[in-house]
Amino acid sequence: MSLSAYFVINLILALLLYLYGRSRAIAFSSSRKLFATKGYFGLHNLLVAFVPSFLFVLIYTLAEPGMIRYLVQSALPSVLDVEPESFQFIYNELLNVHAEIIPFDASNTTHTLGLAVYVGAINTVSISKMLLFGSIVLIATMYALYRTNPSFNARVHAELMIKWILMLLSMISVITTFGILLSVLFESIRFFGQVSIFDFLFGTQWSPQTAIREDQVGSSGAFGAVPVFGGTLLIALVAMAVAIPFGLFSAIFLSEYAKSSTKDILKPILEILAGIPTVVYGYFAALVIGPFIRELGDNLGWQLTSESALAVGLVMGVMIIPFVSSISSDVISAVPMSLREGSYGCGATKSETIRNVVLPAALPGIIAGVLLAVSRAIGETMIVVMAAGLAANLTFNPLEPVTTVTAQIVTLLVGDQEFDSAKTLAAFALGLVLFVVTLLLNIYALHVVRKYREQYE
Amino acid sequence: MDKPIFQVKGVDVFYGDNHAIKSVNLDIARNEVISLIGPSGCGKSTFIRCLNRMNDTIESARISGEVLLEGEDIYSKEMDVVMLRARVGMVFQKPNPFPKSIYDNVAYGPRIHGLVDTRSDLDDIVKESLQKAGLWEEVKDRLTAIGTSLSGGQQQRLCIARTIAVGPEVILMDEPCSALDPIATAKIEDLIDELREKYAIVIVTHSMQQAARVSQRTAYFHLGEIIEVGDTDQIFTNPKERLTEDYITGRFG
């Protein structure tokens, strides 16, 4: 039975129970005062009938391949001679034969006997799925029927169930975060098995080329990540040097000086900047700003490349202006009017008031906005890939081409790669460090925001 | 009355289409406390905010008529709003100390106006202002503590000290005790009585007992108009207007 069939059956049953609960409740509402309105009896039954069996089907379906494999693995040796190490190979062949990717060969005992075991396993798993589903549905139905009586407080139970369902759903994003972290962590550990963590974190040479064959020319690779992180840092610095003043000043203008009609026009336009795809920023940086900087250099008599940290940083800075300005103007507007009036009342001018009262009061929120923008800048990939170059230069000169963590991850993973070579695994190690850095930045930013919130409530 | 410090002549205020103040005339004398009473929404706060042009911060507000401070129209083009607000200080309904230290709160005005050159002069102003506001004894050992850490009543006295520090001639108080408990209110009322020696004080209040306790004259506002102005004793014992009588006897408002 397919997944959608289970779903439809489940849904129909839940709707029937909903209608039953509702109509029963209507019937006995005439005789006695109810704890809950009739809708809650229906809702209670609906949730009882739907949620547990739905979750069961979902989880069981996810576990199915594993279960089948386990059954085949334990049953196969009784009919075939299987070396433990060759099981994976045979199992893959069985999968392909069953899916008719490999033609069935009647003379091959692996095909005949193995396939029988495989099909048997599939049947066992799907029959037990049906049986378990049936019994869960049966228990749920009986429970719902038993509960549909006037003395049952359906409202309290239904509300409680809603709470648990919402909690479950909100956990999914948390679980996903941990899942990503773990997968990156495990690959990184494999990487650090080949390259020492000390060399990775403190080495200043980055040339992630490993020899594929023994006799190949080329080094064993150097995985010192300092130039890569240096490049990220340099670009982020340039970007913040653009985004902080422009973002902050436009936020001050928007929330303190602009008339509301001006603000209504300007603010959405500014926020459009955040909606432009980064690829578009990328070719803007690569095709307009980069060559412009090079020509400017030519006129001044400097030999510059069109790929530079400056070009990327400038464009990235423009891109994150809305992050800084939007959050800053929100927190500036959130500074109570009474504080401004207190300052005006002392005879302060507008700019004195902003400088001495509004900005200090809004500072924590502004810092939080800037930190979020920084983590955005560090994680930005597309602009860098297109306009920064790939040379891992350890430099503080923004006119030179640099590379960043994200750009390196892209180049390491694009193309045909062995997935267990140090070269590919290095991408995960870079990703892990990036993840940790942005996570810390975000946590700190949220902490600052929370502290700020407490101040005025 | 001697020459009044404030003369308000035929002032109208509009918020958009809303006619909030209707041709109000009022003289305010030196060294007197005048209280403005009246039901909610009658324009008391709007009126008091005309006296230091605090309504300028509201985009939709328009004002016509004359407000003379020592004979000078504060709405004329030559008037420097900053200097005006230094001369006419304001204390607000909710205590609004800046999120700075107690010392910096009081030193705020003197610093921006450049009233002092040396740190010790500034120390003196801070001390003197806090003493006048009756807060010195309570905070002298913790001037670096943040202003918002004080109790509500202390915060309001800190705001009064902050206003005094600039050296104003008039102090406007917009329901200064409405967020305070009775004990803190009593302290502020005593303080108002002392401050009268040096400043003219205009106070908006919802409490008629407070108006009776602290003020020498009282003006009754109703729907944006001044119905009656007179000595506080007379207003509360023998009002001339029917509307005033209805309000102070609690028939409405």
Side-chain angles (χ1 to χ4, degrees), chain A residues 438-453:
Chain A
T438 47
L439 191 72
L440 289 179
L441 274 176
N442 283 349
I443 289 174
Y444 183 65
L446 287 176
H447 169 75
V448 170
V449 169
R450 196 169 307 135
K451 238 174 103 179
Y452 169 72
R453 223 175 260 147

Side-chain angles (χ1 to χ4, degrees), chain A residues 338 341 343-344 346-347 356, chain B residues 49 82 85 96 100 108 113:
Chain A
S338 65
E341 289 188 334
S343 174
Y344 294 144
C346 291
N356 295 322
Chain B
R49 291 167 65 97
V82 167
R85 289 181 188 149
N96 58 350
K100 299 171 184 286
Y108 184 78
H113 292 294

Side-chain angles (χ1 to χ4, degrees), chain A residues 122-150:
Chain A
I122 290 180
N123 287 338
T124 313
V125 167
S126 64
I127 287 170
S128 55
K129 182 183 188 179
M130 266 188 260
L131 288 177
L132 284 170
F133 176 75
S135 36
I136 288 174
V137 162
L138 196 69
I139 291 168
T141 311
M142 279 164 57
Y143 177 76
L145 294 180
Y146 162 69
R147 282 306 204 184
T148 311
N149 66 63

Side-chain angles (χ1 to χ4, degrees), chain A residues 280-340:
Chain A
V280 177
Y281 280 109
Y283 63 65
F284 183 63
L287 302 180
V288 182
I289 302 295
F292 174 75
I293 290 173
R294 189 194 56 209
E295 279 167 30
L296 202 68
D298 286 347
N299 291 338
L300 295 170
W302 296 340
Q303 284 288 311
L304 298 180
T305 56
S306 54
E307 291 176 332
S308 69
L310 186 64
V312 174
L314 288 178
V315 174
M316 198 189 281
V318 172
M319 184 187 82
I320 55 181
I321 283 175
F323 288 83
V324 178
S325 75
S326 183
I327 294 177
S328 302
S329 88
D330 285 350
V331 293
I332 288 172
S333 305
V335 172
M337 197 59 205
S338 65
L339 282 185
R340 292 188 186 84

Side-chain angles (χ1 to χ4, degrees), chain A residues 258-260 337-339 341-349 352-353 356-357 360-361 455-456, chain B residues 49 52 54 57 59 82 85-86 88-90 92 96-100 108-109 112-113 162 166:
Chain A
K259 283 190 196 142
S260 56
M337 197 59 205
S338 65
L339 282 185
E341 289 188 334
S343 174
Y344 294 144
C346 291
T349 64
E352 282 168 344
T353 301
N356 295 322
V357 176
Q455 205 171 345
Y456 291 116
Chain B
R49 291 167 65 97
N52 66 345
M54 199 53 91
T57 59
E59 225 178 272
V82 167
R85 289 181 188 149
V88 183
M90 188 160 193
F92 297 84
N96 58 350
F98 304 132
K100 299 171 184 286
Y108 184 78
I112 58 174
H113 292 294
R162 184 176 73 189
V166 187

